[in-house]
């Protein structure tokens, strides 16, 4: 095979490869053009529901009640997104007495002092949540007494179940 024959074969191979490359680029451009329409929002709370971003550089402890005296339940990192259910007034932290109840978590609170919220967070009483700090909860002096049975009502005896007959061994 002469040099010119080899160059002709290689030219055809390059042309075929260039055609495949062109087709791949066209397909890639089509997919990239469609990608923004299919792009989803970054993971986080559903749209419309308030959330907050932790602003404290060392992160933020979340607690059982809206007070620094309450038991620590865990820790959120700096810049963590946190779903907010509602808010109450609790212990003042740096002049801010608002505490947020964390969504999807039972009795877990963070101080609003160290959270930037995404929008309007309603007070817990407005969303059917009536949890307040234990110190401000009204307490009853004595528990209510159970009602006394009346004298005219007699307790009913339950009928005894009939005994099963004994079978003779045979």
């Amino acid at each position: 095979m002469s040099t010119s024959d080899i160059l002709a074969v290689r030219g055809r191979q390059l042309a075929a490869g260039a055609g495949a490359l062109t087709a791949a680029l066209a397909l890639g451009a089509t997919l990239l053009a469609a990608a923004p329409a299919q792009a989803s929002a970054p993971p986080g709370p559903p749209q419309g529901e308030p959330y907050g971003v932790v602003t404290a550089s060392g992160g933020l402890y979340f607690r059982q009640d809206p007070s620094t005296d309450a038991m620590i339940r865990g820790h959120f990192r700096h810049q963590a997104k946190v779903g907010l259910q509602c808010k109450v007034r609790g212990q003042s932290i740096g002049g801010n007495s608002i505490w947020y109840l964390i969504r999807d978590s039972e009795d877990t609170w963070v101080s609003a002092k160290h959270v930037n919220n995404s929008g309007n967070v309603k007070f817990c009483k407005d969303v059917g949540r009536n949890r307040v700090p234990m110190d401000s909860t009204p307490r009853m002096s004595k528990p209510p007494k159970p009602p006394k049975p009346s004298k005219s009502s007699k307790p009913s005896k339950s009928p005894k179940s009939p005994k099963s007959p004994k079978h003779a061994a045979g």
Side-chain angles (χ1 to χ4, degrees):
M1 198 183 252
S2 70
T3 307
S4 62
D5 291 337
I6 293 173
L7 289 175
V9 170
R10 292 223 175 161
R12 284 192 296 269
Q13 288 174 343
L14 284 174
L21 180 61
T22 303
L25 287 173
L27 178 62
T30 304
L31 292 175
L32 281 175
Q38 296 175 354
S40 62
Q47 288 184 346
E49 294 185 8
Y51 69 91
V53 176
V54 175
T55 59
S57 62
L60 182 62
Y61 289 113
F62 51 92
R63 299 178 177 271
Q64 183 174 349
D65 290 299
S67 167
T68 57
D69 294 333
M71 182 176 78
I72 295 172
R73 291 215 163 154
H75 185 263
F76 289 120
R77 293 174 295 124
H78 175 68
Q79 296 294 316
K81 280 190 176 181
V82 180
L84 306 176
Q85 181 174 338
C86 58
K87 64 185 175 183
V88 296
R89 293 200 186 278
Q91 179 187 11
S92 179
I93 307 296
N96 187 338
S97 64
I98 299 296
W99 286 72
Y100 295 123
L101 178 64
I102 302 304
R103 190 173 43 248
D104 302 327
S105 181
E106 189 171 320
D107 296 332
T108 302
W109 300 87
V110 292
S111 169
K113 173 69 176 174
H114 303 291
V115 175
N116 279 343
N117 65 345
S118 66
N120 184 30
V121 180
K122 295 181 179 182
F123 278 93
C124 293
K125 66 180 179 71
D126 297 334
V127 292
R129 182 76 191 184
N130 202 13
R131 177 92 166 117
V132 293
M134 291 172 58
D135 297 337
S136 62
T137 305
R139 300 189 187 269
M140 298 175 66
S141 57
K142 291 183 184 177
K145 293 182 181 179
K148 292 182 181 179
S150 64
K151 292 179 183 179
S152 62
S153 64
K154 294 181 182 177
S156 63
K157 292 184 180 180
S158 60
K160 292 184 180 180
S161 61
K163 294 182 180 179
S164 60
K166 292 185 180 181
H167 295 281

